[in-house]
Amino acid sequence: MIRVLIADDSAFMRKVLSDMFSRQSDFQVAGTAINGKDTIEKVKQLKPDLLTLDVTMPVMDGLDALAIIMEECPLPVVMFSSMTQRGTDATIRALALGAVDFISKAGGPISKIDTIESELLSKCRAAAKAHVTKFQQSAADSRPLVYSPKTPNPPVMKRIEIKRRTGYTLGQKPVINKVPSMSTLPPPRQNLSTAMAVPTGKKLVVIGTSTGGPQALQTVITRLPGNLPCGVVIVQHMPAGFTKSLADRLNSISEIAVKEAENDEIIKPGQVYIAPGNFHLRIFPASGGNRKIVLSQEPPVGNHRPAVNVMFDSAAQFGRDLVSVIMTGMGADGCEGMKKIKANGGYSIAQDEPSCVVYGMPKAVVDAGLADEIRPLTKIAEAIVEAVRR
């Protein structure tokens, strides 16, 4: 039996959701809360198995309440958010704080629960099984790594801008970009990839993740060095409208540049690309020894679009130059693609079970004997840098 606490400032929504859960044989409504402050008190008092949490509430909003809950009494949380820009940004922040999943309120507040009932129940059942713990990241774990092609364990050095010389040189941007929009990046950030052009045949990193992924990506991407001499391409299971907010948020807090991928875009060093929601992403060779991103809206694969298997399958052709990473998520998306990657000589890194919110996708890869390394979340960035350096 899943004991659920419903937090929403709307009496109508509390009643509708309560009735919906009460009709299910595997759910029990533990209680309801009317604002963020009330939610925190009810979580501590009732100790539910699952919390559904509205983003916008009086007294204390859902985000502030979530931050306290995940610090003091963590539990699986499913957020309710609107499809407005403000709503999508708030959802991404909630996922970064530790919420397991979210339900979109298309067109604003939900008026017909039957239109999303199946999705809501499915996500709540899955979220209730998630492994949610208080996550504390040390200062050392949150500091970006420094990439060096020669020194195995380079010391942390003061970042300086290195003048470009003839031939291959490593660049380093002097400041961390805090502007969320890629269109307004400062010149040093825009020129980074050009200054670090990588010869044909160099590495490419591909990452697949799903449930629990936004928080996991924040841990990994913020640790990657800005001068990583290759591109990083990510498929995160997420609907249209939310991947842009995810990319912008990661870009604003990371040393490496992050953006939502575009069709026919050339993959550049020192750049992270996130597949847009509702589009499959494939990687193909391009002129001049480059690689490019190709987007499509072909039918979902394994109920996913974008699908990790689609990206992994297309990237497998790069053989030993490929570093593949599989992280937290339900199901087995990515396993079939990883088989092809390994058959072609690519390298694979899987997130370990204790640090996964849902140990599904990495488990499938590990159980199939396809993982070259199994690392905790806080060590995956280090594993990526080590693999790229080889």
Side-chain angles (χ1 to χ4, degrees):
M1 187 68 70
I2 302 170
R3 298 177 63 253
V4 59
L5 173 65
I6 300 165
D8 201 297
D9 64 323
S10 166
F12 169 75
M13 280 309 304
R14 293 196 300 273
K15 177 65 165 62
V16 169
L17 290 173
S18 293
D19 289 346
M20 183 197 72
F21 284 119
S22 296
R23 290 194 298 269
Q24 311 304 313
S25 61
D26 55 340
F27 281 97
Q28 177 186 349
V29 178
T32 60
I34 61 175
N35 57 53
K37 185 175 181 294
D38 187 32
T39 301
I40 296 169
E41 294 171 354
K42 293 287 180 60
V43 166
K44 293 179 178 179
Q45 173 191 344
L46 301 173
K47 295 180 171 53
D49 303 313
L50 175 72
L51 168 65
T52 65
L53 181 61
D54 193 17
V55 171
T56 305
M57 294 189 293
V59 182
M60 178 186 290
D61 68 19
L63 288 179
D64 290 339
L66 178 64
I68 295 172
I69 289 168
M70 298 310 294
E71 172 68 21
E72 298 182 358
C73 41
L75 81 162
V77 178
V78 175
M79 303 296 298
F80 279 81
S81 69
S82 69
M83 286 292 290
T84 64
Q85 185 60 52
R86 181 179 178 182
T88 57
D89 290 345
T91 300
I92 296 304
R93 291 198 297 274
L95 295 172
L97 286 169
V100 174
D101 214 330
F102 67 96
I103 296 291
S104 300
K105 297 180 179 180
I110 300 173
S111 57
K112 294 184 178 180
I113 197 70
D114 58 325
T115 62
I116 63 161
E117 181 172 339
S118 177
E119 179 188 9
L120 193 158
L121 291 171
S122 175
K123 288 190 173 185
C124 284
R125 287 187 176 103
K129 300 176 183 178
H131 178 234
V132 178
T133 59
K134 179 179 178 181
F135 177 69
Q136 290 181 317
Q137 190 173 19
S138 69
D141 284 335
S142 62
R143 187 169 58 240
L145 298 167
V146 176
Y147 182 85
S148 169
K150 296 181 180 179
T151 307
N153 295 299
V156 177
M157 301 174 66
K158 180 180 179 181
R159 287 173 291 169
I160 60 173
E161 186 175 6
I162 301 174
K163 294 182 178 180
R164 187 179 181 186
R165 298 182 176 86
T166 302
Y168 173 63
T169 59
L170 288 174
Q172 191 95 25
K173 62 181 178 299
V175 295
I176 298 175
N177 176 35
K178 296 298 181 181
V179 183
S181 173
M182 289 299 294
S183 63
T184 56
L185 290 176
R189 191 64 170 270
Q190 290 177 321
N191 297 335
L192 179 62
S193 298
T194 303
M196 298 196 314
V198 176
T200 303
K202 290 302 180 182
K203 301 287 187 178
L204 171 68
V205 178
V206 290
I207 300 175
T209 187
S210 184
T211 309
Q215 185 184 39
L217 287 171
Q218 179 169 313
T219 299
V220 173
I221 301 305
T222 56
R223 286 273 285 149
L224 291 178
N227 66 337
L228 191 71
C230 66
V232 179
V233 186
I234 297 169
V235 163
Q236 160 70 53
H237 293 161
M238 190 169 279
F242 289 88
T243 45
K244 177 65 163 58
S245 290
L246 174 62
D248 287 347
R249 174 173 171 77
L250 290 174
N251 183 64
S252 70
I253 60 177
S254 303
E255 183 171 302
I256 195 168
V258 186
K259 71 184 297 289
E260 186 179 55
E262 299 176 51
N263 191 44
D264 285 334
E265 188 167 18
I266 296 297
I267 297 172
K268 299 178 182 178
Q271 177 74 64
V272 176
Y273 304 85
I274 298 179
N278 204 32
F279 283 86
H280 285 310
L281 182 151
R282 292 180 173 85
I283 304 170
F284 292 103
S287 60
N290 293 307
R291 292 137 182 174
K292 70 175 182 178
I293 289 168
V294 176
L295 303 178
S296 74
Q297 287 192 309
E298 295 171 32
V301 174
N303 295 320
H304 300 298
R305 188 171 65 195
V308 180
N309 273 325
V310 171
M311 177 179 68
F312 277 6
D313 186 76
S314 70
Q317 64 186 298
F318 302 113
R320 295 183 182 277
D321 290 333
L322 190 66
V323 177
S324 55
V325 183
I326 192 79
M327 302 201 302
T328 176
M330 288 183 289
D333 188 24
C335 186
E336 289 302 313
M338 192 70 85
K339 289 178 182 177
K340 188 170 181 179
I341 287 173
K342 292 305 301 172
N344 288 3
Y347 195 78
S348 66
I349 301 166
Q351 185 178 348
D352 72 353
E353 183 174 4
S355 67
C356 281
V357 171
V358 178
Y359 188 55
M361 288 161 55
K363 183 179 187 298
V365 168
V366 171
D367 288 353
L370 301 171
D372 292 303
E373 290 186 64
I374 302 171
R375 294 274 193 125
L377 180 61
T378 55
K379 298 298 181 182
I380 288 180
E382 180 182 340
I384 292 171
V385 171
E386 290 172 353
V388 169
R389 186 182 289 125
R390 293 190 188 101

